[in-house]
Amino acid sequence: MNAREAIRDLVAEYGHLIDEDRLEDWLGLFAEDCTYVVIARENVEQKLPLPLLSCDNKRMLRDRVASYRDVNEYNLHSDRHVIGGVRFRDESEGAWRIDASYSLFQTDVEGATRLFLVGCYEMGGVFEAGQPRLKAVRVIVDTASIPTLLATPI
Amino acid sequence: MNAREAIRDLVAEYGHLIDEDRLEDWLGLFAEDCTYVVIARENVEQKLPLPLLSCDNKRMLRDRVASYRDVNEYNLHSDRHVIGGVRFRDESEGAWRIDASYSLFQTDVEGATRLFLVGCYEMGGVFEAGQPRLKAVRVIVDTASIPTLLATPI
Amino acid sequence: MNAREAIRDLVAEYGHLIDEDRLEDWLGLFAEDCTYVVIARENVEQKLPLPLLSCDNKRMLRDRVASYRDVNEYNLHSDRHVIGGVRFRDESEGAWRIDASYSLFQTDVEGATRLFLVGCYEMGGVFEAGQPRLKAVRVIVDTASIPTLLATPI
């Protein structure tokens, strides 16, 4: 399998693992040395660095998933990511970089499905033992007014 | 063309044929010996087998399409599937298995477009004469409370 | 990179460039001799040729982008395209033709994101110097009652 296919697989897996609430497996997509940032599009366009959420390394990301497992007893919902075609930006040997637009839908316990967020993933990564791993994920969300607490990863 | 490309083509074709109301051609994507099940995510997660719709073979699926052609005179709408990237789960020689998240929008005769359903396709298939064919399709819908009668396939 | 990959890249690029408000770069995806038509699905199905918007060549398309740059001071919003898997219809040497369903979301200055339109791209193109270029784009929109002025391209 070539590099592009492996990266497409990673992007698809990223969305499915969150949707399946397999957040520990989702963590496994990241390299040990990684960043994960959620930022409003407005701030990106105005070059304001303030993110909605920022994890500077995998330990922080792991803590976040663990605390979500411990405390989350409200805002019960299921997620559904529909991710558009991958735009390849850098495909050099050691590193890669892609963009992919996403739509994220949530369904609550009453069974009401609604559009939650749209935006764009900017993902940078490396290959470790032939497998792509995420090094720098920036999740751009098109709105700064996120309707509910940012509980699960995007 | 390799197997992955052919499977991606099949998934894209699946959505387009329903949207184009070419349900007889959509039937042609299935192997003769096939199953088609629509089931709520809630039931999948709680291991409750009760589906919203279940066809145990292609004849049942064909009947369903035929009866739709005969009786459907209400709930006129057009469908639009937007299907996310394909997640390959099994790519062995004889058989294959994929997942793909979908969003399904409907537009009524007044021209109002709304989100209808989101969920995930779990598709298993074989290759017949070099072409992928669907053997087992399970359509997971994230809500159990489907807003209108389940008229067209998902 | 093979032809299919290059065409997939073009489709992804098409959506991202509009979303990033890089409309001049979006123009660069078209061949000099090109058409760009936006038409309601209803009209396509009833074989009514009347489009919502029609540009018969690249100069017209360029004028449209220029006038958008000059006059657009209202209906400020950001676009987000989520485009489904590409359906390849013709892959002959000199020319190619694909379909791809899209969902288009808009976010206003208050930060409210809503579904704007869904529909299907019918794109035909050629290869120029090894790169795919758009010759004939027909954007089918599932509704004829577009909620706001058709300001940005779809």
Side-chain angles (χ1 to χ4, degrees):
Chain A
M1 193 165 56
N2 64 28
R4 278 190 160 220
E5 283 294 306
I7 292 166
R8 278 202 182 93
D9 286 356
L10 174 70
V11 175
E13 198 68 15
Y14 181 106
H16 280 287
L17 289 176
I18 298 175
D19 293 348
E20 294 166 350
D21 196 31
R22 291 170 55 196
L23 302 182
E24 292 76 11
D25 294 326
W26 173 78
L27 278 175
L29 303 178
F30 288 81
E32 200 56 42
D33 172 25
C34 69
T35 58
Y36 172 81
V37 172
V38 179
I39 187 167
R41 180 172 182 158
E42 207 178 307
N43 285 20
V44 173
E45 287 172 358
Q46 297 175 13
K47 316 263 183 212
L48 299 172
L50 193 71
L52 296 165
L53 171 69
S54 180
C55 294
D56 296 339
N57 53 57
K58 196 168 179 176
R59 190 178 43 73
M60 282 179 71
L61 205 52
R62 207 176 274 124
D63 283 354
R64 199 176 159 77
V65 168
S67 82
Y68 168 75
R69 290 292 187 221
D70 282 345
V71 304
N72 191 63
E73 298 188 0
Y74 51 103
N75 184 30
L76 294 171
H77 68 266
S78 63
D79 282 325
R80 183 63 63 193
H81 288 74
V82 179
I83 304 177
V86 173
R87 177 204 221 182
F88 291 89
R89 300 189 67 106
D90 185 355
E91 305 175 67
S92 49
E93 262 310 290
W96 52 270
R97 207 153 54 88
I98 63 104
D99 296 337
S101 289
Y102 66 87
S103 49
L104 172 53
F105 304 92
Q106 290 192 342
T107 304
D108 63 24
V109 285
E110 264 80 48
T113 299
R114 69 199 170 102
L115 174 64
F116 180 56
L117 288 176
V118 300
C120 185
Y121 295 121
E122 295 177 352
M123 295 178 174
V126 288
F127 280 90
E128 287 178 359
Q131 284 296 313
R133 286 280 175 275
L134 295 165
K135 287 277 284 183
V137 173
R138 188 162 79 150
V139 182
I140 297 172
V141 292
D142 282 4
T143 181
S145 59
I146 294 189
T148 52
L149 189 73
L150 206 60
T152 39
I154 300 174
Chain B
M1 192 165 56
N2 64 29
R4 278 191 160 218
E5 283 294 306
I7 292 166
R8 278 204 182 92
D9 286 355
L10 174 71
V11 175
E13 198 69 15
Y14 181 105
H16 281 287
L17 289 176
I18 298 175
D19 293 347
E20 294 165 352
D21 196 30
R22 291 170 54 195
L23 300 182
E24 292 76 11
D25 294 326
W26 172 78
L27 278 175
L29 303 178
F30 287 82
E32 201 56 41
D33 172 25
C34 69
T35 58
Y36 172 81
V37 172
V38 179
I39 187 166
R41 180 171 182 159
E42 207 178 307
N43 286 20
V44 174
E45 288 172 358
Q46 297 175 13
K47 316 261 182 214
L48 300 173
L50 193 71
L52 296 165
L53 171 69
S54 180
C55 293
D56 295 339
N57 53 57
K58 195 168 179 175
R59 190 177 43 72
M60 283 179 71
L61 204 52
R62 206 176 274 124
D63 283 355
R64 197 174 161 78
V65 168
S67 82
Y68 168 75
R69 290 292 188 221
D70 283 345
V71 305
N72 191 64
E73 298 188 1
Y74 53 101
N75 183 28
L76 294 171
H77 69 266
S78 63
D79 282 325
R80 182 64 63 192
H81 289 73
V82 178
I83 303 176
V86 172
R87 177 204 221 181
F88 291 89
R89 298 188 68 106
D90 186 354
E91 305 174 67
S92 49
E93 261 312 290
W96 52 270
R97 206 154 55 88
I98 64 104
D99 297 337
S101 289
Y102 65 86
S103 50
L104 172 53
F105 305 91
Q106 289 193 341
T107 303
D108 63 24
V109 284
E110 264 81 48
T113 299
R114 70 200 169 101
L115 174 64
F116 180 55
L117 288 175
V118 300
C120 186
Y121 295 120
E122 295 177 352
M123 297 179 172
V126 288
F127 281 89
E128 287 179 359
Q131 284 296 313
R133 286 280 175 276
L134 295 165
K135 287 278 284 184
V137 173
R138 188 162 79 150
V139 182
I140 297 171
V141 292
D142 282 2
T143 182
S145 58
I146 293 188
T148 52
L149 189 73
L150 207 59
T152 39
I154 301 175
Chain C
M1 192 164 57
N2 65 29
R4 278 190 160 218
E5 283 293 307
I7 292 166
R8 278 203 183 93
D9 285 355
L10 175 71
V11 175
E13 198 68 13
Y14 181 104
H16 280 287
L17 289 176
I18 298 175
D19 293 348
E20 293 165 351
D21 195 31
R22 291 170 53 194
L23 302 182
E24 292 77 11
D25 293 326
W26 173 78
L27 279 174
L29 303 177
F30 288 82
E32 200 56 41
D33 173 26
C34 69
T35 58
Y36 172 82
V37 172
V38 179
I39 187 166
R41 180 171 182 160
E42 207 179 307
N43 286 20
V44 173
E45 287 172 359
Q46 297 175 14
K47 316 260 182 213
L48 300 172
L50 193 70
L52 297 166
L53 171 69
S54 179
C55 293
D56 295 340
N57 53 56
K58 196 168 178 175
R59 190 177 43 73
M60 284 179 71
L61 204 51
R62 207 175 274 125
D63 283 356
R64 198 173 161 77
V65 168
S67 82
Y68 168 73
R69 290 291 188 220
D70 283 345
V71 305
N72 192 64
E73 299 188 359
Y74 51 101
N75 184 29
L76 294 171
H77 68 266
S78 65
D79 282 326
R80 182 64 62 192
H81 289 74
V82 178
I83 304 176
V86 172
R87 178 204 220 180
F88 292 89
R89 300 188 67 106
D90 186 355
E91 305 174 67
S92 49
E93 262 312 289
W96 52 270
R97 207 154 54 88
I98 63 104
D99 296 337
S101 288
Y102 66 86
S103 49
L104 173 53
F105 304 91
Q106 290 193 341
T107 303
D108 64 24
V109 285
E110 264 81 48
T113 299
R114 69 201 171 100
L115 175 65
F116 181 56
L117 288 175
V118 300
C120 185
Y121 296 121
E122 295 177 352
M123 295 179 174
V126 288
F127 281 89
E128 287 179 0
Q131 284 296 312
R133 286 279 176 275
L134 296 165
K135 287 278 284 183
V137 173
R138 189 162 79 149
V139 182
I140 297 172
V141 291
D142 282 3
T143 182
S145 59
I146 293 189
T148 52
L149 187 74
L150 208 60
T152 38
I154 300 174

